[in-house]
Amino acid sequence: MQFMLLFSRQGKLRLQKWYTAQPDKLKKKITRELVTTILARKPKMCSFLEWKDMKIVYKRYASLYFCCAIEHDDNELLTLEIIHRYVELLDKYFGSVCELDIIFNFEKAYFMLDELLLGGEVQETSKKNVLKAIAAQDLLQEETDDTKSLLEELGLTG
């Protein structure tokens, strides 16, 4: 996978993860072109399209589009499955994920994606293991916040 984009029906980019190095200007251009192209497609149209030297696989869930760019010889159905797995993880964590969950908890969404994919390849297939890693991260964050609060109460912060 070369990159994954999440954007709204209004074309607002909500999350992007690039697995190949690209200049920022080119990333913006690619994003703008793809968002425009996908939003112009009819709902009953195929979720795969040939685009430049890549294949684009996308799927709409509620008000969000999940879009991935893959090589020509990569499997589109497997990519759709990866998108679906990511949405299942987001749903499980947020309890029916919505666009606002991504906006206000983007760091959790990125963390989940990083647990699922590494360098554009599937790293972990078990939803349970990904959710365990996220729960451990949440616990660590809570402990850190509690320690900061205690230090502030004791007047030991700078």
Side-chain angles (χ1 to χ4, degrees):
M1 187 178 303
Q2 294 189 17
F3 58 83
M4 181 184 273
L5 305 173
L6 266 71
F7 55 92
S8 69
R9 285 185 303 190
Q10 292 76 35
K12 298 257 193 263
L13 189 62
R14 299 301 182 203
L15 183 139
Q16 61 179 326
K17 185 71 176 186
W18 296 80
Y19 298 106
T20 56
Q22 304 286 352
D24 284 345
K25 202 171 186 177
L26 183 59
K27 285 180 188 178
K28 285 184 176 120
K29 183 177 187 265
I30 289 170
T31 301
R32 192 172 44 251
E33 285 179 24
L34 273 178
V35 167
T36 305
T37 302
I38 291 170
L39 289 175
R41 292 172 63 88
K42 295 188 177 6
K44 297 283 184 195
M45 292 177 88
C46 179
S47 292
F48 313 134
L49 58 120
E50 300 283 328
W51 190 77
K52 299 195 177 187
D53 60 340
M54 299 174 257
K55 276 194 282 192
I56 304 300
V57 179
Y58 70 93
K59 181 90 170 117
R60 180 177 158 196
Y61 289 89
S63 65
L64 285 174
Y65 283 88
F66 292 72
C67 170
C68 297
I70 57 174
E71 304 289 327
H72 275 284
D73 55 348
D74 286 342
N75 187 329
E76 304 95 338
L77 295 176
L78 182 60
T79 306
L80 265 182
E81 198 57 43
I82 291 167
I83 290 171
H84 188 70
R85 177 58 50 104
Y86 184 49
V87 171
E88 286 178 325
L89 286 165
L90 291 169
D91 272 346
K92 195 88 168 159
Y93 185 79
F94 292 111
S96 190
V97 69
C98 68
E99 193 175 342
L100 288 176
D101 291 323
I102 303 295
I103 292 168
F104 292 116
N105 300 288
F106 64 90
E107 67 286 337
K108 297 282 184 218
Y110 275 112
F111 185 79
M112 239 177 271
L113 188 57
D114 289 343
E115 285 296 312
L116 180 65
L117 298 173
L118 182 65
E121 300 287 330
V122 175
Q123 166 178 263
E124 179 59 70
T125 56
S126 166
K127 281 188 282 189
K128 192 195 256 181
N129 287 348
V130 172
L131 291 168
K132 262 192 224 173
I134 293 158
Q137 183 69 24
D138 285 349
L139 190 62
L140 185 63
Q141 190 173 355
E142 283 175 25
E143 288 171 359
T144 303
D145 291 346
D146 290 347
T147 302
K148 283 181 187 173
S149 296
L150 181 61
L151 289 173
E152 285 172 0
E153 284 178 29
L154 296 172
L156 297 175
T157 56

